[in-house]
């Protein structure tokens, strides 16, 4: 027989048509496909794996069974594997020796040539599926409800509930119309290719109406779309067992499946099915080899596999368990020992038989000992990862967000695996992670950076393509990262295209995209093009009735011009244009104050004072839309500016205005706060009387509720003064508020992109992509009281912009 264990390398990258043909080539001996025949195959899947592919769910467990327990229900008693082995006929077909290099399931070939995986990771299939028009069938056979649902998903293709409702409605009305079923599944799976349960339903529909080759094509597309899903490969293998009578074809498919899902911690349903199939073929040497392979892999059922192996060894003679190569090696060893040419007498024959029996026992013990060492090594590694694995509560894809603890666990698990020296394990873990975390750009970015560091540029390109074209294609963060990445690798046209995609399709008016694009053009020596980007964005925002981003654009544009060209006059003109074109806002006025504060020319104090007064003093003619806190903070900033550059009269005027508007409000607010704290302190005092004091109270922090009564904006007080109020603290740290790059921190709940003007502060650069890539990496720490220490004096406020 051919060496079947080499097929993992030769067949792992088989394309859809070839693999489908390999199944169909053996269909002459396939089982008869009566109506509902494949439905019976589906029942086999259900009984073997315990998976219920309900259309309303992506991964559905029986009632009251968690997602983690679903995989446990797929297992079957290992003792069933060897039941009746002793009484079974020995049809021991010899197979090739087990190649230990295949334990890592052929990922070693990825580093130098990942074309095989690229063809099976979802990109190719997604391109094919995207060709299906996002519209209902045009044959006039749609119901009113289908029309309504098609309209919803056409408008918002990420509305998962509408999709599932559409699929249900289509299945209810389609009857024998396979074209309608194909249309709805093709378009749905183009958006959600990781929903393996819907691939299974799609294949079942094809099996009910279409010939076997169409079913095989759906399964091939499925394993391209969700390549590392154990469940998807299991369904495919069960289908092949039920439709193909060629053992070699089925084994090749199993080997393909194990090449991708065979090292998953929850891979045991796939190995179980492979063992079950080989037992049905009574190929005991192959069964033993499969046990040897799985014992090298840390998995949830490792102990059960070792027990199953020992039961197999106890039930079959060693000669039936050895491969052809192992048997030949043992025969050579025995022939070298038997060098005597003289025929033995009767006593010697008896002794020889006893020696042979003893030798057989020793060989069997050695055979088991080798596998036991393999098992112990895997068990040792299992003890290192069991904490990470048990913390994975949802290993499958779903549109619902993951909780912070699970996201953090994935980051920690990746950190641990990257710290090792096994590139294969790193790739496999990332691919597993990107099933559960497919909607989080930070994991795609992290994968790209990891593969770039390892020099695997083909995997880098493939991963970036999957992220930007399929899984997080509507999230601006991934496209901004892609633009930066392409620029760093010399693909300037690709970087521009990525930025343009954000400007026109993903998030028009996104300030971060405009800033980063302009900065790139400036790095390339194209300052005019950079300025043109700002001017175009300003012109677009001017055309909107109520643009909150317009003032931010003027402020950032002015800052960009000053920092890049030191052109003070142009920077000032941009701000003046902003005041004339956009509603007055705190970021715009802050920018004007800061620009004036660092100029050597005479300060435009009167002009600034008129603008500040217009902003902070609402009137019937000029109602202010700014919050009281924003108005008070801007007044404080202007007071500091006047304290440095104004005369005594301007300072007095502004000080009086500030006190009249805000001092009474602050006193009232602080009085309410003190009253509440005194009430709480009274309760704490009553409670303390019932407790025994164990230590003297600390002098530090004895007056946590004391507040600075000076109006905000008068500069940093000496450290001996009580802690500044919250508003004062914000004066010195306003740039730490939501900056234009802050959208990346909200990806725990993926949503459609919105203009950044809703959560933007002027003048703050976004975090680097490395920081953006892992917004959930920091552990969530419960708020605990800490001893406060006096803060060091902050730098002057106006120096933070220019």
């Amino acid at each position: 027989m051919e060496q079947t264990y080499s097929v993992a390398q030769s067949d792992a990258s088989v394309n859809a048509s070839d693999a489908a043909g390999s199944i169909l080539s053996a269909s002459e001996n396939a089982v008869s496909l009566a109506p509902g025949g494949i439905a019976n195959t589906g029942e086999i899947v259900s009984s073997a794996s315990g998976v219920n592919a309900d259309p309303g769910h992506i991964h559905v467990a029986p009632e009251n069974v968690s997602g983690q327990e679903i995989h446990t229900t797929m297992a079957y008693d290992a003792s069933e594997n060897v039941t009746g082995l002793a009484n079974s006929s020995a049809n021991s077909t010899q197979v090739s020796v087990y190649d230990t290099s295949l334990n890592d399931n052929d990922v070693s070939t990825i580093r130098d040539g990942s074309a095989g995986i690229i063809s099976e990771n979802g990109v190719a299939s997604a391109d094919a599926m995207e060709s299906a028009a996002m519209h209902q069938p045009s044959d006039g056979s749609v119901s009113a409800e289908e029309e309504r649902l098609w309209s919803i998903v056409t408008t918002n293709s990420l509305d998962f509930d509408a999709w599932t409702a559409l699929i249900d409605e289509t299945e209810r009305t389609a009857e024998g119309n396979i074209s309608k079923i194909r249309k709805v599944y093709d378009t749905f799976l183009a958006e959600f290719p990781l929903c393996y349960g819907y691939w299974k339903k799609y294949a079942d529909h094809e099996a009910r109406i279409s010939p076997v080759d169409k079913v095989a094509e759906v399964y091939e597309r499925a394993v391209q779309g969700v390549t590392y899903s154990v469940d998807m490969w299991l369904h495919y293998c069960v289908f092949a067992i039920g439709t193909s009578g060629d053992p070699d074809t089925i084994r090749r498919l199993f080997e393909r499946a194990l090449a991708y899902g065979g090292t998953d911690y929850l891979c045991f349903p796939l190995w179980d099915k492979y063992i079950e199939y080989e037992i049905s073929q009574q190929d005991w040497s192959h069964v033993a080899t499969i046990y040897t392979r799985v014992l090298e892999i840390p998995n949830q059922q490792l102990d059960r596999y070792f027990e199953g192996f020992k039961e197999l060894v106890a039930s079959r003679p060693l000669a039936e368990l050895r491969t052809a190569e192992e048997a030949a090696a043992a025969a050579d060893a025995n022939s070298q020992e038997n060098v005597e040419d003289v025929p033995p007498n009767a006593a010697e024959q008896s002794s020889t038989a006893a020696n042979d029996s003893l030798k057989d026992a020793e060989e069997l013990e050695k055979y088991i000992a080798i596998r036991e060492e393999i098992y112990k090594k895997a068990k040792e590694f299992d003890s290192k990862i069991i904490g990470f694995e048990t913390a994975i509560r949802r290993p499958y894809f779903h549109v619902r967000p993951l909780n912070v603890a699970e996201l953090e666990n994935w980051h920690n698990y990746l950190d641990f695996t990257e710290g090792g020296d096994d590139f294969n394990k790193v790739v496999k873990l990332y691919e597993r992670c990107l099933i559960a975390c497919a909607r989080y750009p930070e994991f795609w970015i992290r994968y790209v950076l990891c593969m770039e560091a390892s020099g695997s540029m083909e995997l880098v390109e493939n991963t970036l393509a999957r992220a930007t074209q399929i899984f997080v294609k509507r999230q601006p963060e991934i496209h901004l990262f892609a633009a930066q990445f392409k620029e760093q690798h010399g693909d300037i046209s690709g970087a521009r295209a990525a930025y343009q995609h954000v400007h026109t399709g993903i998030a028009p008016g996104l300030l971060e995209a405009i800033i980063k694009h302009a900065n790139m053009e400036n790095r390339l020596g194209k300052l005019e093009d950079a300025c043109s980007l700002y001017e175009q964005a300003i012109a677009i925002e001017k055309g909107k009735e109520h643009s909150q981003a317009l003032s931010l654009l003027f402020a950032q544009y002015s800052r960009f011009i000053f920092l890049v060209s030191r052109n003070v006059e142009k920077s000032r003109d941009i701000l003046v244009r902003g005041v004339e074109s956009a509603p007055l806002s705190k970021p715009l006025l802050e920018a004007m104050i800061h620009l004036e504060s660092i100029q050597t020319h005479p300060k435009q104090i009167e002009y600034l004072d008129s603008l500040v007064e217009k902003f902070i003093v609402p009137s019937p003619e000029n109602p202010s839309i700014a919050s009281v806190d924003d108005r008070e903070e801007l007044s404080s900033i202007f007071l500091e500016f006047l304290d440095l550059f104004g005369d005594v009269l301007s300072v007095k005027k502004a000080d009086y205005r500030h006190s009249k508007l805000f001092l009474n409000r602050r006193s009232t607010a602080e009085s309410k706060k003190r009253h509440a704290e005194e009430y709480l302190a009274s309760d704490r005092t009553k409670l303390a009387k019932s407790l025994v004091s164990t230590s003297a109270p600390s002098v530090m922090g004895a007056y946590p509720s004391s507040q600075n009564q000076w109006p905000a904006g008068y500069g940093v007080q000496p450290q001996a003064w009580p802690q500044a109020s919250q508003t004062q603290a914000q004066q010195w740290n306003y740039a730490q508020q939501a900056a234009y790059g802050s959208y990346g921190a909200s990806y725990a709940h993926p949503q459609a992109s919105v203009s950044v003007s809703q959560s933007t502060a002027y003048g703050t650069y976004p975090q680097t992509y490395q920081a953006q890539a892992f917004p959930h990496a920091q552990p969530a720490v419960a708020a605990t009281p800490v001893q406060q220490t006096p803060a060091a004096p902050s730098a002057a406020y106006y120096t933070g912009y220019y």
Side-chain angles (χ1 to χ4, degrees):
M1 179 177 288
E2 63 181 9
Q3 296 186 354
T4 55
Y5 286 107
S6 65
V7 299
Q9 292 180 339
S10 62
D11 289 317
S13 61
V14 176
N15 59 34
S17 60
D18 290 342
S22 69
I23 295 292
L24 301 174
S25 64
S27 61
E28 296 177 0
N29 298 323
V31 297
S32 176
L33 293 177
I38 301 299
N40 295 334
T41 303
E43 293 171 6
I44 296 174
V45 176
S46 181
S47 64
S49 66
V51 176
N52 176 14
D54 191 309
H57 300 78
I58 298 173
H59 188 107
V60 182
E63 189 175 358
N64 299 326
V65 179
S66 67
Q68 184 88 4
E69 294 168 339
I70 292 172
H71 296 278
T72 305
T73 63
M74 295 181 184
Y76 57 90
D77 189 352
S79 63
E80 296 178 6
N81 287 347
V82 292
T83 301
L85 295 185
N87 299 324
S88 301
S89 61
N91 180 16
S92 57
T93 304
Q94 299 297 331
V95 295
S96 67
V97 67
Y98 166 58
D99 184 357
T100 57
S101 67
L102 292 180
N103 276 336
D104 291 319
N105 292 338
D106 201 32
V107 183
S108 60
T109 62
I110 295 174
R111 186 189 298 272
D112 299 322
S114 60
I117 284 187
I118 290 175
S119 67
E120 297 215 20
N121 61 10
V123 173
S125 60
D127 290 341
M129 288 185 287
E130 288 284 5
S131 64
M134 182 63 71
H135 297 289
Q136 63 269 30
S138 57
D139 57 4
S141 60
V142 296
S143 65
E145 179 65 8
E146 283 180 278
E147 263 190 58
R148 185 185 71 83
L149 293 170
W150 270 111
S151 176
I152 293 173
V153 299
T154 301
T155 303
N156 178 16
S157 62
L158 297 180
D159 190 336
F160 190 81
D161 291 337
W163 273 115
T164 57
L166 176 59
I167 291 172
D168 290 343
E169 180 67 15
T170 303
E171 290 175 331
R172 186 181 68 81
T173 60
E175 297 180 357
N177 190 343
I178 191 62
S179 63
K180 284 182 63 176
I181 293 174
R182 286 172 181 164
K183 174 69 72 174
V184 69
Y185 274 104
D186 284 345
T187 49
F188 167 75
L189 291 168
E191 291 291 340
F192 303 99
L194 297 179
C195 297
Y196 79 86
Y198 285 91
W199 283 112
K200 174 62 170 60
K201 284 175 58 90
Y202 190 4
D204 288 346
H205 281 298
E206 291 285 4
R208 180 171 52 87
I209 300 173
S210 308
V212 178
D213 59 337
K214 291 295 184 181
V215 186
E217 287 176 9
V218 172
Y219 275 116
E220 276 300 322
R221 289 172 55 193
V223 296
Q224 290 175 20
V226 56
T227 310
Y228 288 84
S229 168
V230 172
D231 303 276
M232 194 70 258
W233 283 107
L234 178 64
H235 291 320
Y236 193 5
C237 290
V238 170
F239 163 75
I241 292 172
T243 57
S244 174
D246 181 12
D248 289 340
T249 297
I250 294 171
R251 284 170 182 151
R252 280 197 296 271
L253 184 60
F254 268 114
E255 291 298 335
R256 285 181 63 205
L258 294 175
Y260 295 107
T263 56
D264 191 299
Y265 195 74
L266 299 176
C267 62
F268 58 89
L270 194 55
W271 288 99
D272 286 350
K273 183 57 64 175
Y274 199 4
I275 292 171
E276 178 185 323
Y277 176 74
E278 291 299 344
I279 290 175
S280 71
Q281 300 296 307
Q282 297 188 357
D283 192 341
W284 307 116
S285 63
H286 206 173
V287 172
T289 304
I290 294 172
Y291 269 118
T292 303
R293 294 170 64 185
V294 75
L295 288 176
E296 288 193 293
I297 301 169
N299 65 84
Q300 192 184 73
Q301 302 293 319
L302 188 59
D303 294 336
R304 176 169 66 81
Y305 283 124
F306 186 57
E307 292 302 318
F309 168 73
K310 290 193 294 185
E311 291 181 19
L312 173 66
V313 171
S315 64
R316 308 303 305 179
L318 181 58
E320 293 184 6
L321 301 179
R322 282 173 169 165
T323 65
E325 286 76 6
E326 290 172 336
D332 290 341
N334 291 333
S335 62
Q336 291 177 3
E337 294 178 3
N338 299 329
V339 293
E340 281 291 336
D341 294 331
V342 179
N345 54 34
E348 290 175 341
Q349 288 179 356
S350 176
S351 175
T352 300
N355 289 337
D356 289 343
S357 177
L358 180 61
K359 186 181 299 183
D360 289 343
E362 291 175 350
E363 289 181 357
L364 180 61
E365 184 179 354
K366 182 179 178 181
Y367 183 84
I368 298 174
I370 292 173
R371 274 72 180 172
E372 186 172 7
E373 285 301 314
I374 293 173
Y375 159 74
K376 289 179 179 179
K377 185 177 179 180
K379 194 69 177 175
E380 180 182 357
F381 188 79
D382 177 79
S383 66
K384 298 177 182 178
I385 65 173
I386 186 65
F388 299 120
E389 291 289 351
T390 54
I392 300 172
R393 306 307 303 168
R394 198 177 79 191
Y396 52 90
F397 171 83
H398 202 285
V399 294
R400 289 195 301 267
L402 288 164
N403 60 52
V404 174
E406 191 155 358
L407 293 168
E408 180 188 343
N409 178 68
W410 276 115
H411 280 299
N412 293 338
Y413 198 178
L414 291 168
D415 289 340
F416 168 79
T417 307
E418 288 176 6
D421 57 358
D422 193 328
F423 178 77
N424 297 333
K425 282 187 172 66
V426 173
V427 172
K428 291 296 183 64
L429 185 61
Y430 266 110
E431 293 292 346
R432 280 183 60 199
C433 171
L434 288 173
I435 292 177
C437 306
R439 294 170 65 82
Y440 294 86
E442 60 265 28
F443 289 98
W444 292 98
I445 292 172
R446 176 170 180 164
Y447 192 15
V448 169
L449 295 176
C450 178
M451 293 299 101
E452 180 191 24
S454 70
S456 304
M457 295 309 296
E458 288 188 54
L459 266 178
V460 166
E461 295 172 4
N462 171 250
T463 302
L464 201 55
R466 281 188 284 164
T468 56
Q469 296 173 23
I470 303 175
F471 296 105
V472 283
K473 61 185 178 184
R474 289 177 179 82
Q475 300 192 36
E477 180 180 354
I478 192 66
H479 295 284
L480 296 182
F481 169 78
Q484 183 181 19
F485 187 86
K486 290 175 184 294
E487 181 197 358
Q488 292 169 353
H489 288 80
D491 185 5
I492 303 303
S493 61
R496 288 192 176 115
Y499 282 124
Q500 196 62 36
H501 185 51
V502 177
H503 298 327
T504 59
I506 303 300
L510 184 65
L511 188 59
E512 182 179 7
I514 297 166
I515 291 170
K516 288 186 175 298
H517 192 179
N519 290 346
M520 183 190 78
E521 297 297 346
N522 180 61
R523 285 193 296 273
L524 297 172
K526 297 183 179 296
L527 181 58
E528 292 184 1
D529 291 347
C531 293
S532 177
L533 286 169
Y534 280 107
E535 294 290 354
Q536 291 173 13
I538 288 171
I540 293 172
E541 292 299 320
K542 277 185 178 181
K544 298 179 181 178
E545 187 174 354
H546 300 289
S547 173
Q548 296 179 341
L550 186 56
S551 60
L552 295 170
L553 276 169
F554 277 115
Q556 184 61 40
Y557 186 21
S558 171
R559 179 176 183 269
F560 172 79
I561 291 297
F562 179 81
L563 293 177
V564 170
S565 63
R566 294 292 171 179
N567 189 333
V568 177
E569 293 304 321
K570 185 173 181 180
S571 297
R572 182 179 285 159
D573 290 343
I574 292 170
L575 292 174
V576 172
R577 282 172 53 199
V579 169
E580 295 172 351
S581 305
L584 285 178
S585 67
K586 178 171 168 282
L588 188 59
L589 292 175
E590 281 183 275
M592 297 190 75
I593 294 170
H594 294 318
L595 183 62
E596 291 299 324
S597 69
I598 60 177
Q599 303 310 312
T600 57
H601 305 292
K603 314 297 181 184
Q604 298 181 346
I605 293 178
E606 292 184 4
Y607 177 63
L608 287 177
D609 185 83
S610 66
L611 295 176
V612 170
E613 181 164 358
K614 185 178 179 181
F615 179 75
I616 68 174
V617 183
S619 64
E621 297 79 15
N622 180 41
S624 177
I625 60 173
S627 67
V628 177
D629 289 338
D630 282 350
R631 290 189 282 120
E632 181 180 2
E633 186 175 344
L634 183 69
S635 180
S636 300
I637 294 170
F638 187 57
L639 278 173
E640 182 185 357
F641 170 79
L642 290 178
D643 199 34
L644 289 169
F645 305 111
D647 56 31
V648 65
L649 293 178
S650 63
V651 172
K652 180 179 179 181
K653 175 185 175 183
D655 192 16
Y656 176 77
R657 180 176 62 205
H658 183 92
S659 300
K660 182 179 179 180
L661 290 171
F662 306 115
L663 190 58
N664 180 61
R665 170 181 172 271
R666 167 160 306 188
S667 299
T668 303
E670 290 178 350
S671 176
K672 291 180 179 178
K673 181 180 179 181
R674 282 198 301 273
H675 177 73
E677 290 179 344
E678 288 169 1
Y679 180 82
L680 294 174
S682 175
D683 284 350
R684 287 195 296 267
T685 302
K686 294 175 184 178
L687 179 62
K689 289 180 181 179
S690 63
L691 303 175
V692 178
S693 177
T694 57
S695 61
S698 172
V699 176
M700 292 297 294
Y703 305 99
S705 63
S706 59
Q707 302 292 331
N708 188 352
Q709 300 302 315
W710 290 92
Y714 277 88
V716 178
Q717 304 299 327
Q719 294 185 14
W721 288 94
Q723 182 183 2
S725 68
Q726 181 64 27
T727 305
Q728 277 184 285
Q730 289 179 351
Q731 171 195 348
W732 308 104
N733 297 286
Y734 74 94
Q736 297 177 11
Q737 298 172 5
Y740 56 70
S742 64
Y743 71 86
S746 66
Y747 278 120
H749 304 279
Q751 56 187 348
S753 302
V754 296
S755 175
V756 79
S757 60
Q758 297 176 4
S759 59
T760 304
Y762 162 72
T764 52
Y765 281 117
Q767 298 175 342
T768 62
Y769 275 115
Q770 286 75 7
Q772 283 183 338
F774 314 109
H776 305 291
Q778 297 300 322
V781 181
T784 55
V786 295
Q787 186 176 0
Q788 297 182 355
T789 56
S794 301
Y797 190 85
Y798 56 82
T799 60
Y801 280 86
Y802 297 97

